[in-house]
Amino acid sequence: MSHQKAIETLERFTLLPASKASLCASFALIYLSRSGLRLTEDALFTESMKGVVSRTQHGVDLGWDFETGFILSHATGQRKIIFRSSHADLEAIHHCIEVEDIDPLSEAPMKLRASIPFNPTSEKDIQHALSSAAVIFETDREQLH
């Protein structure tokens, strides 16, 4: 029953107006359908941001990393589906969807399972990323079973 409740939670997020949360929920649903992962708890929505300092040829640049995602609990641990974007000088410089195994207590990343870069401002690029995700996430089915 927990698996179905998680699916319903993710489906509700896809009905929201276009947002990072609705886009991430779409990727999470594709992941679950392609990987065959069975959830033991409801999907948990999470958002965070952190400042990052990077050195460039022009000096030091202060940027921000934003994460919107869902924590998916399963029989042997937790997995996180994340829409990650990095910003510097108020411009987005990198967007991707990532799937990673996380430590259940600290939520620290343990293993990156997939990373799909894309441009969320282009409908064509979003569709391409969703199609790519269906193929990439299928490989987890083989590793899980």
Side-chain angles (χ1 to χ4, degrees):
M1 195 57 139
S2 297
H3 182 79
Q4 187 56 39
K5 185 174 182 187
I7 298 291
E8 291 168 4
T9 296
L10 292 168
E11 287 174 341
R12 277 194 304 277
F13 271 91
T14 66
L15 300 175
L16 296 174
S19 66
K20 291 178 183 180
S22 62
L23 186 57
C24 189
S26 296
F27 278 97
L29 287 167
I30 291 170
Y31 182 80
L32 291 173
S33 71
R34 294 300 180 146
S35 70
L37 186 70
R38 300 290 301 167
L39 302 183
T40 57
E41 295 179 26
D42 197 2
L44 178 64
F45 178 71
T46 179
E47 283 188 305
S48 67
M49 68 180 260
K50 64 181 176 183
V52 292
V53 176
S54 59
R55 305 215 180 276
T56 67
Q57 64 188 51
H58 304 293
V60 175
D61 186 24
L62 176 61
W64 295 96
D65 281 347
F66 295 91
E67 291 184 0
T68 300
F70 292 92
I71 296 174
L72 308 175
S73 297
H74 54 95
T76 59
Q78 289 185 327
R79 197 152 294 159
K80 194 173 186 182
I81 311 290
I82 311 153
F83 175 66
R84 188 171 277 143
S85 58
S86 299
H87 298 257
D89 298 328
L90 301 177
E91 289 187 37
I93 56 173
H94 178 73
H95 298 283
C96 63
I97 289 288
E98 293 187 336
V99 179
E100 56 191 25
D101 289 334
I102 61 171
D103 180 275
L105 298 176
S106 68
E107 295 181 13
M110 295 181 355
K111 177 183 177 184
L112 181 65
R113 301 184 77 83
S115 183
I116 304 166
F118 72 105
N119 176 2
T121 60
S122 160
E123 181 68 31
K124 182 179 177 184
D125 202 27
I126 291 171
Q127 290 303 322
H128 182 265
L130 289 166
S131 297
S132 295
V135 173
I136 292 167
F137 295 163
E138 189 81 30
T139 60
D140 258 10
R141 176 179 294 282
E142 297 159 9
Q143 293 176 12
L144 291 171
H145 302 290

